[in-house]
Amino acid sequence: MQHSVALVTGATSGLGYAAARLLAAKGYGQVIVTGRSLARAQETAAQLAAETKKQVFTPLELELDTPSSVQSALDALVKRGQPINFLLLNAGMVPGKARVLTAAGVEASQAPLIGHHQLTAGLLSANLLSPNARIVIAGAEPARGGVPMFSYTDVPAFAATYCRGDQTAAIEALIRSGPNVKYVPNNAYADAKLIVAWWVAALARRLPSGMAVYAVSPGGATDTKVVRNAGPALKYLMIPIVNLIPGMNQTPETAASRYLQASEFGTDVSGQFFASAKGKFSGPMEAQLHPHLHDRASQEAAWQAVVKVSGVDFATAAI
Ligand SMILES: NC(=O)c1ccc[n+]([C@@H]2O[C@H](COP(=O)([O-])OP(=O)(O)OC[C@H]3O[C@@H](n4cnc5c(N)ncnc54)[C@H](OP(=O)(O)O)[C@@H]3O)[C@@H](O)[C@H]2O)c1
């Protein structure tokens, strides 16, 4: 473990920060922590080193909304030349009332997946993932449905109505919050995490045989900044009410420990989405069996849409 390298995106707060601390405690020899600016990443690395008394944290600038920033991060990782054993794609956000698009025309809560795809493809093409690497990306329970105030889009129905049945075009429309997509922040978040779950299934089919990828919902941990942009109904009504129910919320450390747990799963469950049991936001996580998550046509359409929006396929990932 002392020679193992982990990279955690979105480590400047919440679950990414907690995960970085847990990885150091577990004995990882290097934990690369990313922040949108180098200053924030450096501040985070210094704070983690002071808290843990371990000199294992390396700061890295990574703004997932900006392809040139992802490319610069890849260049820095190539220069280091150390293969990564655990790639934790944690960064994400619940978007706010006003629809925000990145300069590349991607809806803000969808943008982390586009940047994570570029990062993962770049690392694979540069041989910077170890032969048995584990990749975990943050999912969330709304992707499976049944979470009050969050609804994901019925993509096949949307595709049939607006895109002549073309699911790739439908998913691209959701990623861009484009024509015919009614922007509702919580639903945009549910769609972003549904596309994450589909992307994971498609990526698993493309990874070298020793590697594995999982979507993992950390579960409810409201003591982070995740809902900083969310509307008052979610922030001041739903979350306080839900938190009154025992077992519906947990500390950031407990939530982040799910990521580490998944880092030890086998290749036999690669491509699956793990989340809390039905009706819960904490406790043991389970592989999610909902049929829409396992629809192969939707999974492949999500992959193609992400490739199209990012402009990055594995074969073309440039370093
Ligand atoms: N907390 C929960 O209850 C919960 C439940 C289910 C899933 N999740 C998921 O868990 C993950 C971590 O959430 P959290 O609760 O720790 O939230 P958080 O405290 O807001 O942390 C999110 C981190 O991601 C970074 N980030 C977001 N968008 C980014 C982008 N485009 N480029 C670079 N960095 C970006 C943030 O950086 P800045 O601070 O600079 O924006 C921050 O470091 C998210 O993917 C979230 O969707 C959380």
Side-chain angles (χ1 to χ4, degrees), residues 99 101 105 107 158 172-182:
R99 188 179 68 158
L101 298 181
E107 189 277 318
F158 183 93
E172 182 178 353
L174 293 175
I175 291 173
R176 296 190 181 282
S177 193
N180 302 312
V181 176
K182 184 173 181 295

Side-chain angles (χ1 to χ4, degrees), residues 3 13 31 40 85 112-113 118 121 140 143 172 188 191 193 196 212-213 218 220 224 240-241 243 257 262 290 303 305:
H3 300 298
S13 80
V31 183
R40 285 289 289 123
N85 304 89
L113 174 61
Q118 186 189 349
E172 182 178 353
D191 284 338
K193 295 303 190 184
V196 159
V213 59
T224 71
I241 290 172
N243 286 353
S257 68
H290 300 69
W303 179 265

Side-chain angles (χ1 to χ4, degrees), residues 59-80:
L60 179 69
E61 180 174 338
L62 178 66
E63 164 58 83
L64 292 158
D65 294 356
T66 311
S68 60
S69 171
V70 181
Q71 187 58 51
S72 300
L74 281 166
D75 293 344
L77 292 166
V78 168
K79 212 165 166 191
R80 283 170 52 88

Side-chain angles (χ1 to χ4, degrees), residues 10-16 36 62-65 90-93 111-112 138-141 189 193 217-222 224-226 228 259:
T12 55
S13 80
L15 306 180
R36 291 187 200 253
L62 178 66
E63 164 58 83
L64 292 158
D65 294 356
N90 158 76
M93 48 110 80
E141 278 75 9
Y189 181 73
K193 295 303 190 184
S217 172
T222 54
T224 71
K225 296 183 184 159
V226 72
R228 66 185 111 165
Y259 294 146

Side-chain angles (χ1 to χ4, degrees), residues 213-248:
V213 59
Y214 321 100
V216 172
S217 172
T222 54
D223 197 13
T224 71
K225 296 183 184 159
V226 72
V227 291
R228 66 185 111 165
N229 302 312
L234 180 63
K235 255 199 243 180
Y236 305 118
L237 197 65
M238 180 178 163
I239 289 176
I241 290 172
V242 166
N243 286 353
L244 290 175
I245 306 169
M248 295 302 264

Side-chain angles (χ1 to χ4, degrees), residues 15-36:
L15 306 180
Y17 187 89
R21 212 169 38 200
L22 291 172
L23 289 164
K26 201 173 160 62
Y28 271 79
Q30 280 291 315
V31 183
I32 301 164
V33 288
T34 81
R36 291 187 200 253

